Amino acid sequence: MKKFAVVAAMATAFLGSTAYAAELEVTHWWTSAGEAAAIAEFAKLFEEKTGNTWVDSALAGSGTGANPVIISRIIGGDPMGATQMNTGRDAEELIQAGLMRDLTPIVEEMGGLDFYVDDTLLEPCRYEGGLYCLPINIHSWDWLWLSTKAYETIGQPVPTDWNEYVASWPALEEAGILPFGLATGWPFSGIPGVLMAAIGGSDLLIAVNRDKDAEAVRSPEFREVAEALDDLRSVISPDTLVPTFGDVGNQLLEGTAAGNIHGDWLQGDLQVAGGVPGEDYECLPALGLGTQLSGGGDSFYFPVLPEGTDQAVIDAQTELAKILVSPEGQLNFNLVKGSMPIRTDIDLSGANACMKKALDLLGNGLLPSGDFALSSDTQQQLQDLNTEFLDDDGITVDDYIERYASIIEQAD
């Protein structure tokens, strides 16, 4: 763990203050360069405004590796002061067990949450009349990232949609450029959902994720999605995988890889690396095919602390909750993170070209992401299937479809 420097010795008159400085441990899985820079904005603001100390506990492995550690600590009676998790059903059982703090009194003190751009973001946080988390951004997986340099090398314009991108693969391969850059592990797991939304369409995504309709998985529309995924794995080989999605970002800037499907948090790393959208890379929301994005993101939860915990620490939880959704916190964090803010009342004139594209689509409503609609167990089963499909060419499209349908049939 590391402690961000305490910038102010005394708490300022902002959001209340504790009698004396408290240490608040915060767990999260933001470990890439762009993510670390973004979370540091929250830490800095928390320390400046309250005089408390943010004790940073970053966990490697994104949600798949960090979630079990977070959940185990809370269940085991060693809770952190606050934790980031995906906005969705990941913390469902912890809430039901009474292990998460009800934030309703804090919300009432703030005067409500009418500033949220989409009230559906709060649905996974609600349970039996209480509110147990605060979404702090809107992330979407639904982006195609393209390398300007790679297309300059082959003398073609940067594609404007998925179909043009696929058509460019032979020329890229002939020039020795990877058509698709990919990191090992979890990054592949989000790609099928992106293809489902963009190629299969919003009706298909809703039928599968929200309605859990297995027959929709067996439909011609889903077959198109599976065939696109099959085409994609044909240009990916194990020896070209890189360790992290940040490394893929570097490939795009260098022009050694031409494209990547990844969430909008990639642009945080691209920005840290000096990349400029429209110059060094292009970003196509909904793969350039759709008019809606699937929306998920991150939320902060505040575990119920053990009996006897100093009141100053509990007060620090309250202060952090307010800071996370404050106009200043939202602006500082999301401009660095690359995600869309949850507030409608902040000045986003400083947003880069990619965020502005996302904001333009936000008015069309958000599609339900798998994080929102599917349990952690179902998400893990689908991730295992997608990873196996990538690794084993012996799994046919028919096999993939039927196994996917079987998982959705049993989903809760």
Side-chain angles (χ1 to χ4, degrees):
M1 295 189 294
K2 63 180 180 180
K3 295 181 182 179
F4 288 89
V6 180
V7 188
M10 299 294 292
T12 62
F14 174 83
L15 307 173
S17 61
T18 53
Y20 58 88
E23 292 188 350
L24 191 72
E25 182 191 4
V26 183
T27 53
H28 60 89
W29 56 73
W30 289 324
T31 57
S32 77
E35 292 172 325
I39 190 67
E41 293 294 331
F42 277 149
K44 178 182 176 183
L45 199 58
F46 174 69
E47 296 194 337
E48 285 181 341
K49 300 298 185 181
T50 74
N52 295 312
T53 300
W54 171 297
V55 181
D56 197 72
S57 290
L59 301 168
S62 187
T64 55
N67 259 356
V69 177
I70 293 168
I71 293 169
S72 177
R73 281 191 54 184
I74 295 171
I75 292 174
D78 181 30
M80 59 296 297
T83 187
Q84 166 251 346
M85 299 177 78
N86 284 332
T87 300
R89 297 180 60 184
D90 288 353
E92 184 172 74
E93 293 181 2
L94 296 175
I95 294 170
Q96 293 170 354
L99 296 173
M100 289 298 189
R101 183 176 172 183
D102 184 359
L103 306 178
T104 303
I106 301 174
V107 170
E108 291 174 349
E109 192 177 330
M110 288 191 292
L113 298 174
D114 291 343
F115 51 77
Y116 268 82
V117 67
D118 190 328
D119 189 61
T120 63
L121 292 169
L122 294 164
E123 288 179 7
C125 299
R126 294 188 171 112
Y127 178 69
E128 294 187 346
L131 189 81
Y132 293 87
C133 65
L134 290 173
I136 48 88
N137 62 1
I138 303 171
H139 267 312
S140 177
W141 265 98
D142 302 358
W143 291 85
L144 176 61
W145 305 90
L146 297 168
S147 166
T148 302
K149 191 170 183 178
Y151 284 95
E152 287 175 348
T153 298
I154 65 172
Q156 290 188 15
V158 178
T160 61
D161 63 30
W162 170 259
N163 297 321
E164 291 180 8
Y165 169 56
V166 172
S168 73
W169 289 355
L172 291 164
E173 290 184 305
E174 186 176 344
I177 296 170
L178 290 174
F180 193 86
L182 182 64
T184 57
W186 63 270
F188 188 72
S189 66
I191 294 173
V194 177
L195 296 174
M196 198 184 335
I199 296 173
S202 59
D203 289 345
L204 176 65
L205 187 75
I206 291 170
V208 174
N209 281 353
R210 188 192 67 189
D211 301 337
K212 303 174 183 63
D213 181 356
E215 290 311 304
V217 180
R218 298 184 177 103
S219 68
E221 290 79 12
F222 190 90
R223 178 169 290 276
E224 282 189 63
V225 175
E227 288 173 346
L229 193 64
D230 187 37
D231 290 340
L232 184 58
R233 71 174 175 172
S234 72
V235 295
I236 299 170
S237 62
D239 59 342
T240 61
L241 300 184
V242 292
T244 71
F245 69 83
D247 296 316
V248 176
N250 290 332
Q251 288 180 317
L252 297 178
L253 296 178
E254 294 164 355
T256 55
N260 178 240
I261 292 174
H262 200 82
D264 48 18
W265 52 93
L266 177 62
Q267 70 173 309
D269 280 61
L270 290 169
Q271 287 178 156
V272 169
V276 178
E279 297 179 16
D280 303 300
Y281 63 92
E282 293 292 345
C283 49
L284 302 182
L287 308 190
L289 300 174
T291 59
Q292 285 181 285
L293 296 171
S294 62
D298 302 287
S299 287
F300 267 82
Y301 296 77
F302 298 83
V304 174
L305 299 177
E307 188 175 347
T309 298
D310 196 304
Q311 184 62 40
V313 179
I314 298 171
D315 291 344
Q317 284 184 319
T318 299
E319 291 168 332
L320 177 58
K322 294 177 182 179
I323 284 171
L324 295 173
V325 295
S326 68
E328 189 175 2
Q330 280 292 297
L331 185 64
N332 295 358
F333 171 79
N334 285 293
L335 287 182
V336 177
K337 190 70 162 62
S339 49
M340 293 173 280
I342 50 86
R343 297 193 71 106
T344 58
D345 56 355
I346 55 178
D347 179 10
L348 291 171
S349 58
N352 72 19
C354 296
M355 184 185 285
K356 287 178 179 176
K357 289 181 182 181
L359 293 170
D360 286 343
L361 295 186
L362 194 57
N364 298 329
L366 293 170
L367 295 171
S369 70
D371 289 342
F372 264 54
L374 303 174
S375 69
S376 295
D377 181 60
T378 299
Q379 291 178 55
Q380 187 60 56
Q381 290 180 58
L382 292 175
Q383 180 171 325
D384 291 344
L385 171 61
N386 292 325
T387 301
E388 190 177 348
F389 185 67
L390 173 65
D391 292 341
D392 185 358
D393 290 339
I395 300 175
T396 67
V397 167
D398 286 338
D399 293 336
Y400 177 78
I401 291 172
E402 194 51 44
R403 288 176 61 180
Y404 203 111
S406 178
I407 293 170
I408 293 300
E409 277 177 333
Q410 301 171 54
D412 57 10

